[in-house]
Every structure is written in structure tokens, then in C-alpha cells.
């Protein structure tokens, strides 16, 4: 099958392309770097010729409220229009567990808008809701700084390795459209503040992490279970400690190379 991965140069997209290729599919990475821009429409008609599936693993370069909304609305509208014209029969989009409960956040309002366009379109679809990536823990600290300290709510979450996200997305891309949402998550639950503190310590980052019950998660108020997946979520295998060891050896190997 020809499967076009929008955002195919990104963290998850590049791993999805690898996995699909290893299973004998013609996986095409598409992003501005390779001349395909889902916001302007540049290159879309060409790359979608003969494709059976589109995986949207793109992300907005800016997370400012208006910019991120414009990105996901314009990009998704374009993808769905060009896909309909090219006869692509399955649209797979990567989104986030709990998106519908996080509408106080500008980023999540944009993801809600993206999902609404997909559900309302005539194209069969699968929306994959993944939990936070281990790779995103430092980024989460970066967007949660107040007065030089990282303020995070001590609520539960069930984060996962990007490798497991990509395997989950690739598996869904080669299957029949779900016409609904499927959740994927990691094998263990943690408290958000606790895991970010552990991650910053391994990176030898001096920033203090405060467990703050009033802190927001990317602008949204969250409760104890807001970020958790439901009981039917498909779970990845990679535990946090295993991922830490793997990423430390990968970093050491890259340094030595
Ligand atoms: N962070 C988390 O914990 C988390 C959890 C669950 C779900 N997600 C979702 O996962 C998705 C992917 O995230 P990621 O971290 O893998 O993203 P990423 O590494 O930041 O990659 C973003 C990708 O989007 C592409 N892109 C940017 N502008 C584009 C445009 N105009 N047209 C086409 N492609 C464009 C980039 O292409 P270039 O390289 O060419 O610029 C890049 O390939 C996001 O939708 C996010 O909501 C994230």
C-alpha cells in the first residue's frame, strides 16, 4: 500500500515511516522539508496520487492560541479536500488522550477543531489518541515555568515511548478505518510532577519542579484522572526506566560518533 505520512520528518512521523517501510509498504514522508505543505496545499495533489492511506502526524510550528488553531484547521481542511479528490480511503490522525476534556487550552482547542473536521468529513478515518510521550517531558517542563520554577499539577498520567506511539499508529494505518477514536498509552501510571522531576534530574537540569495543585496543564485545569486513558486503551511495552536507559545509551553513542 502507498501510505503518505504528513509530518513524516517529525518525531513520530519518521518512526511511522520506518515501521511501514519495514513491513513492505510504500511509505512516503511528506512535510515542508520535502516540498509538501498541508497549510498552503503545495505538493499535496502530487504526493497523494495512488495513495490508499494518509497518516497525519504533523504539528504546528507555533503553539500560540490563534496560530495553532489556524494550523490544524487549515491543514486538516486541505488534507481532507485533496484526499477526497485523490480517492484516499483512510485518514489517520494522531491526537492526544483527554483532548475533549482540555478545551481551556488553546492547543487542545485546535486539536478538538482538527478532530471535528475529520469526523464531519466523508472520508473513513481513525483518530489515534496517544498519551504524553516520554520524549516530551522536558518540553512539558518548558511550557510550565512560572517565576523560574516548573509548576505542575500532581495528577496521574500514563505516558509512553515515541517508539510505541509509532508502532500503534502504524498498526492502525494498515488496518480498516475505525471511524472513531482509539486510545494508546504506556504501561505505567505516574504523577506528572514526579516524572518531570525525574526526567530533569537525569538531564542534570537544575530547574526546581513544584507540585502545585492549582497549576494548569498547558493552560487547562486538570483533575486526578483527566489525563488518563480509558480501560480499553492499547498499552505499549516500554517502561520509563527502560526508555531512560535506551535514550542515555543512544545519546552516548551519538556523542561518540
Ligand atoms: N507531545 C506529546 O506528548 C503528544 C502526545 C500525544 C499526541 N501528540 C501529537 O503528536 C503529533 C506529532 O507530534 P511530534 O512531536 O511527532 O511532532 P514534531 O516532531 O514536532 O514534528 C512535526 C512535523 O510536522 C511537520 N509540519 C510542520 N508544518 C507542516 C506543514 N505546513 N505541512 C506539513 N507538515 C508540517 C514538520 O515538518 P518539517 O520537519 O518539514 O518542518 C514535522 O515533520 C502532534 O499532532 C501532537 O498533537 C503529541
Amino acid at each position: 500500500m502507498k501510505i503518505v505520512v504528513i509530518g513524516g520528518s517529525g518525531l513520530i512521523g519518521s518512526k511511522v515511516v520506518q515501521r511501514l517501510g519495514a513491513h513492505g509498504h510504500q511509505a512516503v514522508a511528506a512535510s515542508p522539508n520535502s516540498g509538501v505543505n498541508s497549510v498552503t496545499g503545495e505538493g499535496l495533489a502530487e504526493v497523494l496520487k495512488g495513495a490508499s492511506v494518509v497518516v497525519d502526524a504533523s504539528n504546528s510550528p507555533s503553539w500560540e492560541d490563534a496560530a495553532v488553531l489556524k494550523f490544524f484547521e487549515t491543514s486538516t481542511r486541505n488534507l481532507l479536500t485533496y484526499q477526497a479528490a485523490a480517492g484516499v480511503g483512510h485518514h489517520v490522525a494522531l491526537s492526544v488522550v483527554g483532548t475533549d476534556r482540555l478545551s481551556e487550552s488553546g492547543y487542545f482547542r485546535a486539536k478538538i477543531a482538527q478532530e471535528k473536521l475529520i469526523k464531519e468529513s466523508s472520508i473513513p478515518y481513525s483518530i489515534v489518541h496517544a498519551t504524553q510521550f516520554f520524549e516530551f517531558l522536558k518540553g512539558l517542563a518548558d511550557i510550565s515555568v512560572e517565576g523560574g520554577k516548573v509548576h505542575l499539577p500532581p495528577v496521574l498520567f500514563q505516558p509512553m515511548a515515541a517508539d510505541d506511539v509509532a508502532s500503534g499508529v502504524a498498526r492502525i494505518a494498515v488496518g480498516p478505518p475505525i471511524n472513531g477514536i482509539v486510545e494508546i498509552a504506556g504501561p505505567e501510571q505516574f504523577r506528572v510532577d514526579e516524572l518531570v522531576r525525574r526526567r530533569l534530574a537525569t538531564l542534570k537540569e537544575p530547574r526546581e519542579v513544584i507540585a502545585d495543585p492549582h497549576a494548569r496543564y498547558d493552560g487547562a485545569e486538570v483533575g486526578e484522572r483527566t489525563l488518563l486513558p480509558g480501560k480499553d486503551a492499547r498499552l505499549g511495552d516500554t517502561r520509563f526506566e527502560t526508555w531512560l536507559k535506551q535514550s542515555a545509551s543512544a545519546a552516548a553513542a551519538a556523542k561518540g560518533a
Side-chain angles (χ1 to χ4, degrees), residues 166-190:
S167 301
V169 171
R171 209 168 293 134
I172 287 155
V174 299
I178 290 160
N179 293 315
I181 294 172
V182 60
E183 289 188 325
I184 58 175
E188 307 162 283
Q189 290 183 4
F190 299 93

Side-chain angles (χ1 to χ4, degrees), residues 4-7 54-58 72 75-76 79 91-94 114:
V4 175
V5 181
I6 305 293
V54 163
V55 174
D56 184 5
S58 67
F72 279 115
S75 167
T76 305
L79 288 174
H91 180 89
V92 179
L94 180 57
Q114 174 189 17

Side-chain angles (χ1 to χ4, degrees), residues 6-13 30-34 36-39 57-61 63 71-72 94-97 107 111 114 130-133 136:
I6 305 293
S9 59
L11 172 65
I12 304 300
S31 77
N33 271 335
S34 56
V36 180
N37 189 322
S38 54
V39 172
S58 67
N59 209 353
S60 173
W63 290 14
F71 176 89
F72 279 115
L94 180 57
S95 191
V96 190
V97 162
Y107 184 82
K111 297 298 285 184
Q114 174 189 17
T131 54
Q132 291 67 33
F133 316 152
F136 176 60

